[in-house]
Amino acid sequence: MSEENNKGNYGADQIQALEGMEHVRMRPSMYIGDVGVRGLHHLVYEVVDNSIDEALAGHCDKVDVWINEDNSVTVKDNGRGIPVGIHKKEGVSALEVVMTKIGAGGKFDKDSYKVSGGLHGVGVSVVNALSSLLKATVYRDGKVYEQEYQRGKTMYPVKQVGETDERGTLVTFRPDEDIFQQTIEYNYDTLASRLRELSYLNKGITITIEDRRVIEENGDFKGETFHSTEGLKEFIRFLDGSREMLIADVISIEGEKNDIPVEVAMVYNTSYSENLHSYVNNINTHEGGTHLSGFRRGLTHTLKKYADASGMLDKLKFDIAGDDFREGLTAIISVKVQEPQFEGQTKTKLGNREVSSAVSQAVSEMLENYLEENPNDAKTIVQKVILAATARHAARKAREMVQRKTVMSGGGLPGKLSDCSEQDPEKCEVFLVEGDSAGGTAKQGRDRNFQAILPLRGKILNVEKAMQHKVFENEEIRNIYTALGVTIGTEEDSKALNLDKLRYHKVVIMCDADVDGSHISTLILTFFFRYMKELVEGGYVYIATPPLYLVKKGAKKEYAWNDADRDALNEKFGGSANIQRYKGLGEMNASQLWDTTMNPEFRTLRQVAIDNGTEADRIFSMLMGDEVPPRREFIEKNAVYANIDA
Ligand code: 0RA
């Protein structure tokens, strides 16, 4: 066929498709959120979601993901295979339509029960548009078909390349470096966490990951297999692995109300925190929404009714609030909604009204049965609730003290805070520094116009193990609230944070680059994660990165942030340089600290983001909780400083 003929065949639909793909490349963030690390990983989720959909429709039970050596990613499933026949309306193969038409997805298959979908079901064509190369291979009807695309543009019509007795779809794509300018390097742990999560949310599917960039000692590629038979119940056990359960086993609820599939699993543990995770169509709804409020309502109503009837509340002198029913509760709520309405700042809040009553009813009915059938657990739960209510009354006094101090502001700033002169919060930064001596250096080294210093005394309270009122009574923590100018909400929603009067738009944790320092950073992060989540989600929290080494030779002098850089500098200086290892911030003088860690022109600040809220919860509870073995294992696996201090 001649070129002209090709062009002649180019119908209005194809031209529209092309424009769609170009729009994705022009405005990628509109489709995948951002073009940083998050967006990069999003591409994988988008492709995987298509396979999960095929599995939810009952046609597939295996999804394999591998990260290739060149950072391309392959996703393979054993589903029906994307159809390759000519699509009547579009005039090209259905495969090509799926791959090049924005918003086509699997919609032309009316029977498909499409409920999953990344952010949010934008379709694999978006991935195609943002890939320098994508290859789709379809195993279907005994044949193998193939088609390739460059930056979303079809390279050739679908062709048959062989025969097979397998079925399925295989997609390999390489993210386009022109789009993902920051990096195209995939993080194994990020992908593995999401795939593990998906396997719990969709029980019965086997999902594997293989990192072909890394060969293990036994000669195999690094990898894992995820498969869950009990779904959310197992997910809870995994999440709460380092917490101590209060009841015999995880309570699980599964059913359908008004055509909305509802799955809930929950357990009470000995901690004081509430950990609710909610999902809609496999998407983590960080901001909650109607499914979560339905769960809360169902839980409170049912437990209250049971507690009242039990007579256990008769001697209680104060009433029980909604919060009290959720202290030490870990729960996951997962619903599948045909046409979800997402609202909120990050579009992760479910708006559909009808879902609230569906979840509330499902939870009420099934929990009521559970309590009747398990009186011992029921009693334990009610006792826990009473304890929580009692502590809440103590907490209120402590909280009112924080509140009063914060509200009175003006002269009310903590004495230890060395404030900056600038008044515009957007320009202001505050450094939380461990210890008074490092605090002193930071105070001398800073630019006092816009940088404030708040020294913290040694190790701050481990909020993971403390009751709420202890947290609010803690002086260091009270100083953080007052210095930041944030206030905590009313009793009903006792931890909601008000950021309207936030005094600094950069809150920087600056600790030593050693084991102790990272422990302190983790304690502070735990506090932020549990009590000031909105601050983290708003992107206000940063971690400073002080250098590890000073490499000196004669008049030449440079800093190194890791061993490789240190060795490279040594080589650059001609070898046998003098190497000073900074054990702590205190070993640097004020100008060194400014040059390397505080000066906006040269420093590297790491912004703290919650990438996977459910996984973050698990890690914090493990790192800061009671059980030592899982913590040790994690630290051994992830320790960056270990060999330095050994
Ligand atoms: C629409 C129709 C059919 C299959 C699919 C979509 C499909 C899409 C993807 C994406 C990744 N893996 C997939 N597997 C299947 C087939 C309809 C039929 O055969 O009747």
Side-chain angles (χ1 to χ4, degrees), residues 47 50-51 54 77 79-83 98 105-106 108-109 140 169 171:
V47 179
N50 287 288
S51 299
E54 183 70 356
D77 68 51
R80 291 168 294 177
I82 302 177
V98 171
F108 55 89
D109 181 15
R140 199 178 152 93
T169 305
V171 172

Side-chain angles (χ1 to χ4, degrees), residues 46-55 59-60 75-83 94 98-99 105-112 124 140-141 167-171:
E46 198 59 55
V47 179
V48 168
D49 279 336
N50 287 288
S51 299
I52 299 276
D53 276 339
E54 183 70 356
H59 303 290
C60 129
V75 178
K76 177 177 182 237
D77 68 51
N78 63 350
R80 291 168 294 177
I82 302 177
V98 171
M99 288 297 168
K107 273 184 197 139
F108 55 89
D109 181 15
K110 279 179 233 65
D111 301 329
S112 93
V124 68
R140 199 178 152 93
D141 304 326
R167 274 178 355 146
T169 305
L170 189 147
V171 172

Side-chain angles (χ1 to χ4, degrees), residues 496-601:
L497 200 67
N498 182 347
L499 294 177
D500 294 348
K501 299 223 169 73
L502 179 64
R503 303 179 60 248
Y504 313 92
H505 280 200
K506 286 200 172 73
V507 178
V508 186
I509 301 171
M510 187 161 69
C511 291
D512 291 343
D514 64 3
V515 171
D516 265 354
S518 58
H519 186 215
I520 293 165
S521 302
T522 314
L523 284 167
I524 300 173
L525 281 174
T526 308
F527 163 69
F528 281 146
F529 182 68
R530 294 285 182 224
Y531 285 84
M532 294 194 174
K533 203 174 222 157
E534 297 87 339
L535 193 72
V536 183
E537 284 170 344
Y540 299 115
V541 180
Y542 296 83
I543 296 176
T545 55
L548 289 180
Y549 301 102
L550 173 61
V551 183
K552 248 191 328 202
K553 191 165 173 187
K556 290 179 284 194
K557 167 170 122 165
E558 277 186 55
Y559 300 94
W561 272 260
N562 56 49
D563 293 7
D565 288 351
R566 173 200 61 192
D567 298 343
L569 281 176
N570 184 29
E571 201 159 311
K572 187 172 123 189
F573 292 171
S576 55
N578 177 311
I579 292 169
Q580 185 191 347
R581 155 90 171 104
Y582 288 122
K583 294 233 176 57
L585 300 168
E587 287 182 11
M588 267 183 262
N589 65 38
S591 74
Q592 287 172 325
L593 189 60
W594 165 257
D595 286 344
T596 59
T597 316
M598 299 180 75
N599 180 356
E601 277 189 54

Side-chain angles (χ1 to χ4, degrees), residues 433-444 453 455-456 512 584-588 593:
V433 189
E434 87 180 85
D436 289 332
S437 92
T441 316
K443 199 175 147 185
Q444 287 171 12
I453 308 293
L456 299 172
D512 291 343
L585 300 168
E587 287 182 11
M588 267 183 262
L593 189 60

Side-chain angles (χ1 to χ4, degrees), residues 368-381:
E368 208 169 302
N369 287 339
Y370 180 88
L371 296 171
E372 291 302 332
E373 288 163 17
N374 300 273
N376 285 338
D377 281 355
K379 199 170 149 203
T380 309
I381 293 170

